[in-house]
Amino acid sequence: MVPLSWYMVLSMVVFAIGVFGFLSRKNVIIMFISIELMLNAVNINLISLSHYLQDMRGQILAFFVIAVAAAEAVIGLAIIIALFRNKATVHVDEVKEMQG
Amino acid sequence: MIQQLFFAYFAFAIVIFSLLVVTRKNPVHSVLWMLLLFFHIASLYLFLNAEFMAAIQVIVYAGGILVLFLFVVMLMNIREELLVNKFIGAWPTGLTFAVGLLVVIIMSIKSFIAAPPGIYSIELIKQETHTKALGKLLYTEFLYPFEVTSLILLVAIIGAIVLAKRRLKP
Amino acid sequence: MKLYLLIPFLPLAAFVINILLGKEVLRDKAHWPSVLAVVGSFIVTITSVLPQAMAGKVINEDLYTWMLSGTFNVTVGFLIDPLTAVMLVVVTTCASLIHIYSVGYMHGDKGYYRFFAYLSLFTFFMLMLVMGNNFMQLYFGWEGVGLCSYFLIGYYLNKKSAADAGKKAFIVNRFGDFGFGIGVFMIFLTFGTLHYVPVFANAAGIAGQTVNFLGWNVDLPTLIALLLFCGAIGKSAQIPLHVWLPDAMEGPTPVSALIHAATMVTAGIFMVARCNPIFNLSEVAMNTVAIVGAATSLFAATIAITQNDIKRIIAYSTCSHLGLMFLACGVGAYAAGIFHLYTHAFFKALLFLAAGSVIHAVHTNDIQEMGGLKKYMPITYAVFVIAALSAAGIPGFSGFFSKDEIIWSAYASHSSVGKLVWLMATAVAFLTPFYTFRLIFLTFHGKYRGGHHEESHGHGAHHKEHHFHESPKIMTIPLILLAVGAVAAGWVGIPPILGGGAHFAKFLEPVLGHPEFHGTHAEEFGVMGLSTTIALIGIALAAFFYLKRTDLPKKLAEKFIGIYKISYNKYYIDELYDFTIVKPTMWIADKVLVAITDAKIIEGVVNGVPGAIGKFSEKLRKIQTGLAQHYGIFMAAGAFFTIALVLLLQ
């Protein structure tokens, strides 16, 4: 039997990798993929907890996370297309209109 | 023992694939490693008696979202992408805080207190089948959140069209 | 649908229409909404409200909770009892006729829509003032009419004297309203409510109570009554706050007629009459009201004798008549005061409008430059004489009945104060006809004296005597209607001694009570005969001075130069206020507030704080790199430190 904490540690490692990817990559598409990575990490956590606590609500929550992730990916990618059309770049360090 | 071994394999593969996803220079490669990663995560869900979740992980993530990513990546100029530095200047700071965050959340596991187990024991799920049990809950107790989710998806569709559409020339 | 709600809200609707559409859309048709609205109010008053009030039905309804805070509960509510009904008749009748008159008088003026918008707004506030069923609504209307008065006095924006007069009216009224406001607070503190009905029902319970006010123990009813009376002094232009009313004549003449003669300035009398249960409790307050009223009446009448501005004379006459009304209230004859208010509204509005008609023709306010206008303006002359006879209290005219009622009430109240004010009122009864007919004789009789003025100022020939003409029909018809009112309005209150039924006083009795007077019929006839006789003497004297021996006034003025100067310069009250209040205030404003508080303290803070913030943010904005990931790093750092802190604290 695999202990619950193993799943938790795995989920946290994937999450941290996602955080690293989001904070460090220049390419905005990879940043989005990193966000998907973090969401997946959370899903692993939710489903493993659901299994060990014998409560289906965790999986319901994971289900909603997937739905929201799909919506977020669609909007995010549409923004990337709009950005690429206007700036001809997908590199975030070249987009800094908000600089103070 | 065999379970631990399987978990060790999947966990190792997931971590490696995750690292590959965030470090590949070519976005196409990243997306393809992501595909492999999602399959492994889906397998992990099977260990956890969540067949339906494993199925939608493959169908929605691997089949839907990743294909969408792939489309967008194909729109970009990949050759130019390969020439520039893949990280931003402040990447060491990002790495530091990512590692720091990892350390503190792993440390916080020891203060985790499990709630008393609920009614959905493995036997019950097996008897009722996972999809049916999930569906019952989703369409009764979580009906309204479910409906709201459909609304979010509708908004996402409209928003994507509005954002990605070319401006009409006057 | 409550029909009476139309009365105040039709003029409000007209105001909204005019202020939104008047300038661009309606333009020279801007009078339509206002006139229709006020005539509508008039019709509703006459057909619906007045018969109900006559039948003895009192409406007292709360329609809307305005403010609710603890026990402080203020509603928008309406009380329609006989007193309100009388006020509604006065306000809507005068307002309707004056609105119609204004169509002719203001024709072609640049701010035509503005004039009618403000006039409608004023009508709305005045109606809210008289219809409210609580002190808060009274205060709302009170301040509202003050505001509109300010707008309309300063209606000729480009004229400095008009703007100054508007400011003066507003500021002088602040003094009175300050006291009035405190009075309303005191009522709430004492009774726990601001609604008329419970306040007046419990008023008898506070008789004899004392309260600590500014460190003195004072009689509670006296304090409340005097504080309320402060507001009345300001609004109704009594001594010592009368100074704004003559200056208010800078506004257009219809405004003077409506606001500064017929309606707004009578709000003070209305309020005192409305609060009669409180005033009745305090002899001190009653005597104060009577003496202030009588003093103002006499004082204003003596000033009016020497003035030369046609509108100012009538303004001082208004002051004087308002004083008489207060005098009546002060001796307990509230019904007589309201009766005079009612008749005064007609003949004084008529006087003003007729004066406006004269000014419209000759384009000057100075009666020394008029004369001989009788043959050019017969209608104006006729109504002017009717109004003057009414004001003078000649038997048969409406002014006679009300004025006689007041003088008789003063005499019959049988207190020493009553006798004193009776003497003063009798003196006024002599002065009023004198100055009114002086005005008439100088304006309409004799020869035209304005010629030299034109030459010296190089005005065009169109002001020449032969070009004077009667005002258009839209102005003369309201004049004639008001003249009918000035004659006949008083017939509803003919005293029993002259064979009448005193219906007016009986109508108001449920609200205002019935004063206890003792006097024989012989005494009453005597008082009436005396005041009538001296009124006739006053007219005769005016005729002697200004028709027969036109050189006499000048000689007398030279002989008694001291007295003449005092009267001509209005007892130097304006100069006194200028010296004691205005100058020190200006000095403080200039030397302390502007130089120290404003320049050093306020500007130091106002400029210093943004300066410091500006410098700090100059540094801070560098953090804003515009790179999304830098913000992400801050978020991750925040999460890291938060979780680390929680772990450490465990």
Side-chain angles (χ1 to χ4, degrees):
Chain A
M1 191 68 182
V2 185
L4 175 60
S5 55
W6 289 23
Y7 282 100
M8 283 179 153
V9 172
L10 171 65
S11 135
M12 284 159 189
V13 171
V14 177
F15 186 84
I17 292 169
V19 170
F20 167 68
F22 181 79
L23 295 184
S24 309
R25 286 300 297 256
K26 198 180 263 185
N27 190 322
V28 73
I29 297 170
I30 308 289
M31 284 172 71
F32 262 101
I33 290 175
S34 301
I35 293 173
E36 298 296 331
L37 215 55
M38 286 188 261
L39 288 167
N40 265 285
V42 171
N43 272 356
I44 293 173
N45 212 348
L46 282 172
I47 290 170
S48 60
L49 279 166
S50 161
H51 176 71
Y52 281 91
L53 299 178
Q54 301 185 349
D55 192 334
M56 290 291 262
R57 281 180 292 184
Q59 294 182 27
I60 300 279
L61 200 52
F63 180 85
F64 289 139
V65 168
I66 291 174
V68 173
E72 173 256 325
V74 169
I75 296 286
L77 291 169
I79 292 173
I80 292 171
I81 289 174
L83 176 74
F84 189 70
R85 188 177 296 142
N86 289 327
K87 298 257 167 198
T89 182
V90 286
H91 294 154
V92 277
D93 54 353
E94 289 167 36
V95 184
K96 41 180 172 183
E97 260 85 49
M98 298 279 278
Q99 187 170 29
Chain B
M1 187 62 199
I2 192 104
Q3 280 183 339
Q4 273 98 329
L5 269 179
F6 266 100
F7 180 82
Y9 162 67
F10 280 113
F12 181 71
I14 286 170
V15 172
I16 294 297
F17 292 151
S18 304
L19 283 172
L20 288 171
V21 166
V22 297
T23 50
R24 289 309 86 199
K25 199 166 204 175
N26 189 332
V28 179
H29 294 177
S30 280
V31 173
L32 290 175
W33 285 120
M34 188 83 171
L35 180 65
L36 220 47
L37 171 73
F38 283 164
F39 276 120
H40 280 79
I41 291 176
S43 315
L44 209 58
Y45 290 169
L46 288 174
F47 278 123
L48 294 166
N49 266 338
E51 303 99 59
F52 184 73
M53 300 309 292
I56 60 169
Q57 175 78 12
V58 174
I59 295 167
V60 176
Y61 262 121
I65 298 177
L66 271 190
V67 171
L68 201 60
F69 270 103
L70 217 47
F71 274 139
V72 176
V73 170
M74 295 307 185
L75 290 174
M76 310 291 137
N77 190 344
I78 293 177
R79 214 167 287 151
E80 199 179 278
E81 180 75 22
L82 297 174
L83 298 175
V84 296
N85 198 344
K86 61 189 168 189
F87 290 121
I88 62 160
W91 75 268
T93 326
L95 181 62
T96 315
F97 280 114
V99 172
L101 209 55
L102 178 63
V103 172
V104 290
I105 42 182
I106 287 177
M107 276 166 69
S108 63
I109 287 180
K110 67 175 189 292
S111 50
F112 171 77
I113 301 160
I119 53 162
Y120 289 94
S121 60
I122 298 168
E123 287 71 34
L124 183 75
I125 293 173
K126 271 187 177 149
Q127 186 196 336
E128 231 185 288
T129 74
H130 177 254
T131 312
K132 194 177 172 189
L134 193 71
K136 267 188 182 169
L137 208 54
L138 194 61
Y139 290 115
T140 55
E141 202 182 332
F142 292 95
L143 183 61
Y144 289 120
F146 181 74
E147 296 292 346
V148 173
T149 313
S150 66
L151 202 67
I152 292 175
L153 290 171
L154 176 69
V155 172
I157 293 166
I158 296 168
I161 293 169
V162 171
L163 284 167
K165 173 179 71 124
R166 251 175 233 284
R167 288 255 159 67
L168 294 173
K169 291 264 151 54
Chain C
M1 178 65 198
K2 296 178 174 64
L3 201 57
Y4 65 82
L5 281 181
L6 283 176
I7 297 174
F9 289 110
L10 276 177
L12 181 66
F15 162 70
V16 172
I17 291 172
N18 251 340
I19 208 80
L20 293 179
L21 302 177
K23 193 172 184 181
E24 302 297 335
V25 183
L26 295 167
R27 292 206 195 105
D28 56 345
K29 291 179 188 64
H31 54 270
W32 279 111
S34 295
V35 171
L36 288 179
V38 73
V39 170
S41 299
F42 171 69
I43 290 168
V44 174
T45 306
I46 294 298
T47 57
S48 161
V49 173
L50 191 62
Q52 278 186 4
M54 294 273 220
K57 194 172 161 231
V58 173
I59 299 169
N60 183 9
E61 282 173 311
D62 286 336
L63 295 182
Y64 171 73
T65 303
W66 184 6
M67 296 172 216
L68 185 59
S69 164
T71 58
F72 184 67
N73 182 4
V74 176
T75 57
V76 176
F78 294 91
L79 171 69
I80 299 180
D81 60 0
L83 179 59
T84 305
V86 169
M87 290 303 290
L88 284 178
V89 170
V90 170
V91 174
T92 55
T93 312
C94 292
S96 303
L97 293 173
I98 291 166
H99 269 74
I100 294 167
Y101 175 92
S102 308
V103 175
Y105 189 83
M106 300 303 290
H107 181 74
D109 196 88
K110 237 195 294 178
Y112 197 62
Y113 80 99
R114 197 158 52 86
F115 180 81
F116 278 100
Y118 291 155
L119 219 51
S120 284
L121 185 65
F122 166 79
T123 313
F124 163 71
F125 278 124
M126 190 67 207
L127 292 166
M128 288 300 274
L129 188 161
V130 297
M131 291 174 81
N133 73 346
N134 57 64
F135 282 97
M136 202 65 181
Q137 207 169 323
L138 175 70
Y139 197 78
F140 168 76
W142 191 272
E143 295 299 331
V145 291
L147 178 72
C148 292
S149 161
Y150 167 74
F151 285 156
L152 286 166
I153 294 169
Y155 173 75
Y156 296 117
L157 302 164
N158 299 327
K159 214 165 122 194
K160 186 168 184 312
S161 58
D164 286 345
K167 276 186 274 184
K168 185 171 178 181
F170 206 77
I171 292 167
V172 170
N173 267 299
R174 291 268 65 69
F175 284 91
D177 293 352
F178 179 67
F180 184 46
I182 296 176
V184 173
F185 297 156
M186 288 303 296
I187 286 172
F188 178 71
L189 276 180
T190 312
F191 298 99
T193 176
L194 287 176
H195 282 76
Y196 291 148
V197 174
V199 167
F200 297 148
N202 297 326
I206 63 161
Q209 284 184 29
T210 57
V211 67
N212 191 309
F213 184 74
L214 301 175
W216 288 292
N217 273 328
V218 285
D219 186 47
L220 186 57
T222 306
L223 177 69
I224 293 176
L226 286 180
L227 285 171
L228 291 177
F229 186 54
C230 268
I233 285 178
K235 191 65 75 195
S236 296
Q238 298 297 294
I239 292 175
L241 299 180
H242 65 283
V243 289
W244 66 271
L245 188 59
D247 285 21
M249 299 302 129
E250 291 287 348
T253 308
V255 169
S256 307
L258 179 60
I259 301 185
H260 306 119
T263 55
M264 184 189 85
V265 290
T266 61
I269 288 103
F270 166 75
M271 191 263 283
V272 171
R274 173 60 84 201
C275 302
N276 69 78
I278 296 174
F279 279 86
N280 281 339
L281 295 174
S282 164
E283 205 180 324
V284 178
M286 289 295 270
N287 289 342
T288 312
V289 173
I291 289 173
V292 167
T296 310
S297 189
L298 190 57
F299 172 83
T302 53
I303 297 176
I305 288 174
T306 55
Q307 298 301 306
N308 281 331
D309 183 317
I310 182 164
K311 285 179 74 183
R312 272 172 194 262
I313 296 173
I314 308 177
Y316 277 111
S317 163
T318 305
C319 257
S320 172
H321 281 279
L322 290 169
L324 278 183
M325 296 173 208
F326 276 117
L327 187 161
C329 294
V331 297
Y334 299 102
I338 295 295
F339 187 31
H340 196 55
L341 185 164
Y342 161 76
T343 56
H344 169 258
F346 289 99
F347 66 71
K348 191 51 60 69
L350 179 56
L351 271 182
F352 265 119
L353 294 188
S357 178
V358 171
I359 296 167
H360 198 66
V362 272
H363 295 276
T364 175
N365 280 6
D366 193 340
I367 53 173
Q368 298 296 353
E369 290 171 19
M370 298 176 188
L373 296 176
K374 187 169 69 171
K375 55 179 180 278
Y376 305 107
M377 312 180 75
I379 299 175
T380 307
Y381 173 66
V383 296
F384 212 114
V385 170
I386 289 171
L389 288 172
S390 196
I394 301 303
F397 293 89
S398 63
F400 165 73
F401 300 108
S402 54
K403 201 168 182 174
D404 175 65
E405 183 106 6
I406 290 173
I407 294 176
W408 167 240
S409 304
Y411 178 81
S413 68
H414 282 295
S415 62
S416 48
V417 172
K419 284 287 183 294
L420 174 68
V421 296
W422 172 70
L423 276 176
M424 290 161 99
T426 309
V428 172
F430 166 73
L431 291 170
T432 309
F434 181 77
Y435 65 71
T436 321
F437 278 89
R438 167 180 178 260
L439 174 60
I440 287 179
F441 295 145
L442 284 177
T443 310
F444 291 102
H445 293 260
K447 275 199 179 129
Y448 182 66
R449 296 179 297 275
H452 66 283
H453 183 75
E454 278 167 35
E455 284 158 31
S456 60
H457 283 72
H459 274 267
H462 60 282
H463 285 166
K464 274 217 172 118
E465 194 178 354
H466 299 286
H467 290 253
F468 296 139
H469 51 80
E470 184 60 276
S471 299
K473 278 209 172 61
I474 194 132
M475 287 163 71
T476 51
I477 288 172
L479 287 178
I480 293 166
L481 291 175
L482 272 174
V484 173
V487 176
W491 294 351
V492 297
I494 298 175
I497 186 171
L498 292 178
H503 299 294
F504 196 86
K506 279 193 189 131
F507 179 53
L508 286 172
E509 211 171 287
V511 190
L512 302 176
H514 186 72
E516 283 184 27
F517 291 142
H518 315 282
T520 62
H521 282 261
E523 279 181 304
E524 192 167 349
F525 270 122
V527 168
M528 198 182 282
L530 178 63
S531 59
T532 308
T533 312
I534 61 169
L536 290 171
I537 293 172
I539 296 175
L541 205 61
F544 178 68
F545 273 176
Y546 296 100
L547 288 182
K548 289 205 96 163
R549 298 284 304 277
T550 42
D551 54 327
L552 255 185
K554 213 172 182 184
K555 279 187 188 155
L556 278 176
E558 273 160 13
K559 194 161 187 193
F560 301 102
I561 188 78
I563 299 170
Y564 177 80
K565 271 265 168 70
I566 286 174
S567 168
Y568 185 75
N569 289 314
K570 308 149 208 162
Y571 291 78
Y572 298 97
I573 297 279
D574 276 321
E575 285 75 11
L576 179 74
Y577 286 171
D578 191 50
F579 190 70
T580 56
I581 296 173
V582 179
K583 286 263 164 59
T585 310
M586 295 296 267
W587 186 86
I588 291 173
D590 193 41
K591 294 284 183 279
V592 179
L593 296 181
V594 172
I596 298 171
T597 317
D598 214 50
K600 300 259 160 60
I601 300 172
I602 295 179
E603 291 207 355
V605 173
V606 167
N607 294 337
V609 170
I613 292 173
K615 271 178 199 147
F616 180 64
S617 48
E618 192 70 18
K619 303 269 184 298
L620 200 64
R621 78 183 174 92
K622 296 286 192 292
I623 296 175
Q624 241 17 290
T625 55
L627 282 182
Q629 276 146 321
H630 289 171
Y631 305 148
I633 288 172
F634 279 114
M635 276 169 71
F640 167 72
F641 285 119
T642 310
I643 297 170
L645 193 68
V646 171
L647 283 178
L648 280 176
L649 291 178
Q650 259 177 357

